[in-house]
Every structure is written in C-alpha cells, then in structure tokens.
Amino acid sequence: GTLPGEIANLGGLDYLNVAKNHFVGKFPSEWTSMAGLRELDVSSNELRGTIPIFVDGMKNLRLLNMARNDFSDTIPSELGSLYKLQYLFLDDNELEGIVPKEFGELTDMKKMTLHNNFLTGQVDDRICKLADELFLTKLSADCGGEMPNIVCDCCTCHDHEPMVHLSSEP
C-alpha cells in the first residue's frame, strides 16, 4: 500500500517508524507538517519521487532515515536548515547531483550516509570542518573505482569497498 497522509493528523507524535513495510508510492506531503516529530524512519520501502522539503514543519527532527528506497532527483538543500538533525540516512536511493553545501550548517550532525546513489562533485569544506571538530563521526559516500563519483578532502577512501568512511570511531 501507500503511506497514508492522514497520519499527519495524529497530534503529539515524537517518533514514527514505518520501515520495512513494503510501502510504495510517493512520500506524503502532509507529513512535513508534523512539528513535534523528532525521529522519522521510512527506510527499506519502495518509496519514489523527490525528497520533500521538511524545513517549514519539522524543525525538531533529529533523525531522518529515508535509506533503501527509490527516491530520485537531487537532495534538497533545505535539509541543511534542519539544525537539530543529528542522523541523516539517504543511502541506497537514486539520488543525483551534489551533496548540498548547506549540510555544513548542521553542527549537531553525527552520522550521514549517502552512498549507493548517483551523487557527484566535491564535499564542501564546511562539512569537512564538522568532521575535523569531531561532531560528524561518520560520513559515507561513493568514491570507489578508478573514477570516484565524490571527491572528499576529509575522507579516507577504502579500495576494498565503494564507499568513503569518515569516522572518529575505531
């Protein structure tokens, strides 16, 4: 089935996890108005379309997991205005374009996974600064092969897997 937009009418939701439920279709735009939501996990479904802009209604969001779906188009730069965001998982989609430089404003960010998409370009220096200050403990993005998709001056590329790991963890 599809994700019901009416869930947005449930007041007082802090956490919403609908992962691994075989949902199909687009992400309901109504959900972006759930102001009290702190964690949203829609991972491992078959959702498609663009990633909506959450900025206006979800200022308290700390975790956003949209991994392992079929989201396409670019990553909205407006996600960089979710200043309380600590965990962002967008891996294993069909996303393209660049990693928004606005992510460098997410000073509470601890983990960000972007690998297995079609992202290109260079990771902005402001994002690397978060890593240098040990706020961002893990950043993953595609960089394997002879022609890496992502250039990241602050990441270590491992040849044995097509992923960049940036981590202060052992």
Side-chain angles (χ1 to χ4, degrees):
T2 59
L3 292 172
E6 295 80 15
I7 288 179
N9 297 330
L10 299 172
L13 280 180
D14 287 332
Y15 308 96
L16 181 56
N17 185 335
V18 295
K20 299 180 184 176
N21 277 291
H22 306 287
F23 285 115
V24 298
K26 295 187 176 190
F27 185 90
S29 60
E30 298 92 337
W31 285 23
T32 62
S33 66
M34 294 190 283
L37 206 59
R38 292 188 287 168
E39 294 187 10
L40 176 61
D41 188 343
V42 298
S43 64
S44 299
N45 284 292
E46 297 173 37
L47 301 176
R48 60 178 162 57
T50 60
I51 293 177
I53 298 172
F54 293 92
V55 177
D56 293 333
M58 296 183 138
K59 296 276 188 197
N60 292 312
L61 209 56
R62 287 170 173 67
L63 178 143
L64 177 59
N65 190 348
M66 303 183 93
R68 294 174 301 285
N69 280 288
D70 293 315
F71 289 110
S72 58
D73 207 354
T74 59
I75 300 172
S77 61
E78 291 85 355
L79 289 179
S81 296
L82 295 173
Y83 298 117
K84 294 182 180 180
L85 200 59
Q86 297 175 348
Y87 302 93
L88 177 63
F89 305 102
L90 299 176
D91 51 285
D92 294 295
N93 280 289
E94 304 290 323
L95 299 168
E96 56 189 31
I98 62 168
V99 177
K101 66 180 187 285
E102 290 81 0
F103 284 5
E105 301 296 322
L106 299 173
T107 56
D108 287 343
M109 185 63 69
K110 294 179 179 12
K111 295 186 191 256
M112 183 187 318
T113 62
L114 306 171
H115 58 277
N116 292 338
N117 283 292
F118 300 102
L119 300 171
T120 57
Q122 180 150 351
V123 174
D124 190 85
D125 290 340
R126 293 183 297 170
I127 298 171
C128 289
K129 185 176 181 212
L130 295 178
D132 290 343
E133 294 171 355
L134 298 180
F135 297 122
L136 179 62
T137 59
K138 181 179 181 187
L139 169 64
S140 67
D142 299 314
C143 83
E146 292 181 25
M147 297 183 63
N149 294 336
I150 296 282
V151 176
C152 181
D153 293 338
C154 59
C155 303
T156 303
C157 187
H158 300 275
D159 292 335
H160 65 278
E161 56 184 327
M163 187 183 291
V164 170
H165 290 285
L166 170 63
S167 180
S168 62
E169 301 170 335

